[in-house]
Amino acid sequence: MPPFPEAAKSATGDSQLRHNLRKATHTIRDKRAGVVGELDDWSDLRAAGKAIKDRTLRHLDGYLEQLEEAVTAAGGRVHWAADADEANEIVTGLVLATGESDVVKVKSMATQEIELNEALAQAGITAYETDLAELIVQLSDDLPSHILVPAIHRNRAEIRDIFRDRMASWGVPAPDALSDDPRALAEAARVHLRERFLSTRVAISGANFAVADTGTMVVLESEGNGRMCLTLPETLISVVGIEKIVPTWADLEVFLQLLPRSSTGERMNPYTSTWSGVTPGDGPQEFHLVLLDNGRSDVLADEVGRQALRCIRCSACLNICPVYERTGGHAYGSVYPGPIGAILTPQLRGTASETEASLPYASSLCGACYEVCPVAIDIPEVLVHLREEVASSGGHRAEKAAMGAAGWVLDGERRLGAVQRATSAVRSLLPRRMPGPASAWTDTRDIPDIPAESFRSWWRREGAAGDGDGGAGEERDGREGGRR
C-alpha cells in the first residue's frame, strides 16, 4: 500500500468514489445526529463509556484472567496470541483439526487485521465472508474501506455487476435478470449464502465485547448472518482483541446504548448475539477464544495513545471526517481507516515505514472526530502526540530535508540576512501559486506578501535614525502615541 498522500491523491481523483462516500457518510451521520439528539443524558452515557473503558484498561490483566476462567468454566477453551503470526497459526491448526476445508465468517476487523483469510488460504482452507458488504468486497477481490460499511465506496450498479460476474465462481450464480434494487441484491446474497450456512461445520467470528465475569462474547450486526454463523456450525472460533473486555453485564448495557446510535444511527441494534462457552445439544459444541495482543500492550503503555484502545468500532469519526470523505478508506493502508486508523495503526505497527509515519498527518485537526466519539477519544490530542514522535525520529524525508535547510539558515545571522535580502529582491518574480506537488497547498491558500525589507534591516535603520531621540531601545505606546 503506498504512503497516505500518494494513495489519497489517487482516491480524490475518482469522482464516483467521492460521490459514493459523500452520500453514504452524510446519510449515516445525519441519522446518528437524530437519534443522539433524542437522549437528554447522551453526555452522561458518553462519560460513563469512557470511564468504564479507562477502568478496564487500568486493570486489564486481572479482567483477562477473569475472562479466561469464566470461558473455561463454561466449556470453552482460551488461546493467547502475542501477534498475528501466532493467532493465524492457532486458528489454522484448530480448523485443520476438524478435518474441514471451508469456514464461514462473521464480519471481524481483528481477523482482517491479522490477514487470517490469507493465512487460511495458504493452508488450503477457504473462508467465506457472510456479511453482505464483506461478501461484496471479497467477491470483487477488493479491500474494505469503512469500519461499519466495508463496501461504502461501491454503489448499487457496481454491486449488481460484481454479483453477476463473480457469484457463479462460488457455486451459486446470481439471477440473470438481477437488477440494482437493494432488495433484489440482498435476496441474491441470501440465496448465495444459504447453502454455506447449512453445510459448513466451522465458523470464525470476532466480538464487539467480551464480558469478563461471565465469559460471554457479544456480536452486534444488522443482517442476521452473524447469528447463522454463531449457531449452526459445530465448531466456533472467536478472535478477539484484548481491549474488547467489559467487566460486567451492567457495563455492557452502557455500550449497547452508545454503539447502535453512533454506528448505524439506530436506537437499538437489530441482532445482538451473546454466547458463553458451550451449551450441550444447542449451538456449537466446541468453542475456542483466541485473545489477540498484536501490539495492543505497547499501545497500553503509552499514557497519551492508550485512549485509542477505548474504541468500540462505531465509525462515527469516519463519517464526520473531511479527510476520509475525500480520500476513502483504502488510502490509510490499514483495516482501520479514518481518524481512528490514523492513531491506532501507527501505534500497532510502529512508524518506521513511510505509510504509518504519514498517518498522523492525515487530519485537519478540526476536532469533529472527538466531538462525535461515543467514548470521548481525544483523537486530535493523540495525532499531535504521534506527530511529535514521528518528528523526533527524523520525520518524512521531504520534511526532514526542509527542516534541515531551515535550521541551517536560521542558525546563522549572516545566512538568514542573505536569504532575506535575496527573497526581497526577487519578490515581484515569485508566483502566487506554488509549482509541482506543492501546488495543492495553494489551491486554497495565498502565499503571503513578501516585504521589500526585512524587520532586522528596518530596525537597524530606524534605530540608528532614532538614537538622538531616545534611541532604538525605546518602545512606542500605540494607545497614546508617546513613549514608555
Side-chain angles (χ1 to χ4, degrees), residues 455-476:
F455 173 79
R456 288 175 177 240
S457 176
W458 174 88
W459 185 258
R460 282 193 296 268
R461 188 183 71 253
E462 290 297 311
D467 281 346
D469 189 23
E474 294 181 342
E475 299 177 18
R476 294 187 178 274

Side-chain angles (χ1 to χ4, degrees), residues 118-134:
E118 292 77 5
L120 291 173
Q122 291 180 1
I125 302 165
T126 302
Y128 293 95
E129 299 288 351
T130 63
D131 174 84
L132 177 56
E134 289 289 352

Side-chain angles (χ1 to χ4, degrees), residues 103-441:
V103 299
V104 287
K105 286 187 64 195
V106 186
K107 179 177 180 292
S108 164
M109 301 200 72
T111 60
Q112 291 171 0
E113 175 189 328
I114 63 176
E115 299 182 347
L116 176 61
N117 287 9
E118 292 77 5
L120 291 173
Q122 291 180 1
I125 302 165
T126 302
Y128 293 95
E129 299 288 351
T130 63
D131 174 84
L132 177 56
E134 289 289 352
L135 173 64
I136 294 165
V137 169
Q138 188 175 34
L139 286 173
S140 58
D141 294 324
D142 200 351
L143 292 170
S145 65
H146 192 275
I147 288 177
L148 178 68
V149 193
I152 196 172
H153 56 293
R154 300 287 192 178
N155 60 29
R156 303 190 306 190
E158 291 174 311
I159 295 169
R160 175 199 60 203
D161 294 341
I162 291 169
F163 281 7
R164 284 178 175 175
D165 296 341
R166 303 301 299 274
M167 273 189 172
S169 64
W170 279 30
V172 182
D176 293 335
L178 181 65
S179 72
D180 64 359
D181 178 74
R183 288 173 295 185
L185 295 172
E187 178 61 21
R190 187 178 296 115
V191 172
H192 175 77
L193 291 169
R194 185 171 293 136
E195 183 59 32
R196 295 289 174 202
F197 288 135
L198 295 174
S199 61
T200 307
R201 298 172 57 195
V202 180
I204 297 174
S205 82
N208 294 94
F209 305 101
V211 184
D213 65 347
T214 60
T216 303
M217 303 296 113
V218 185
V219 165
L220 282 71
E221 38 111 9
S222 300
E223 301 167 10
N225 63 291
R227 185 158 296 176
M228 299 286 280
C229 289
L230 298 170
T231 56
L232 291 177
E234 298 175 7
T235 300
L236 174 60
I237 305 167
S238 298
V239 181
V240 181
I242 58 175
E243 82 282 14
K244 294 296 186 71
I245 291 185
V246 295
T248 68
W249 276 81
D251 298 318
L252 176 65
E253 184 266 342
V254 173
F255 297 104
L256 293 184
Q257 295 184 69
L258 289 171
L259 183 54
R261 284 177 166 84
S262 291
S263 58
T264 55
E266 296 171 296
R267 298 177 184 88
M268 182 177 179
N269 193 67
Y271 293 91
T272 300
S273 300
T274 66
W275 69 99
S276 303
V278 173
T279 302
D282 184 18
Q285 296 302 290
E286 189 174 341
F287 171 61
H288 297 270
L289 172 61
V290 181
L291 289 170
L292 176 69
D293 189 321
N294 203 36
R296 286 159 175 79
S297 293
D298 294 333
V299 180
L300 187 61
D302 188 324
E303 293 184 0
V304 177
R306 69 173 60 148
Q307 58 186 298
L309 296 179
R310 290 187 212 141
C311 179
I312 58 175
R313 310 294 191 264
C314 70
S315 77
C317 63
L318 281 71
N319 300 327
I320 201 72
C321 178
V323 176
Y324 175 85
E325 182 181 313
R326 288 160 179 78
T327 64
H330 294 155
Y332 292 81
S334 166
V335 67
Y336 303 111
I340 187 61
I343 65 171
L344 185 57
T345 301
Q347 293 190 88
L348 291 176
R349 295 182 181 175
T351 56
S353 78
E354 193 170 354
T355 298
E356 281 72 37
S358 69
L359 287 177
Y361 297 86
S363 169
S364 64
L365 298 180
C366 65
C369 49
Y370 171 63
E371 295 299 325
V372 300
C373 178
V375 287
I377 302 171
D378 194 341
I379 293 177
E381 178 188 32
V382 183
L383 286 167
V384 172
H385 171 66
L386 293 174
R387 290 181 185 187
E388 292 175 354
E389 289 189 357
V390 172
S392 65
S393 63
H396 305 297
R397 289 191 297 269
E399 180 186 43
K400 186 176 181 179
M403 292 299 102
W408 181 80
V409 170
L410 295 172
D411 192 46
E413 182 178 354
R414 291 184 177 182
R415 288 193 293 269
L416 176 60
V419 170
Q420 289 174 331
R421 289 191 296 274
T423 305
S424 296
V426 299
R427 65 192 186 99
S428 62
L429 303 177
L430 295 176
R432 302 300 297 172
R433 191 171 187 275
M434 297 176 72
S439 62
W441 194 87

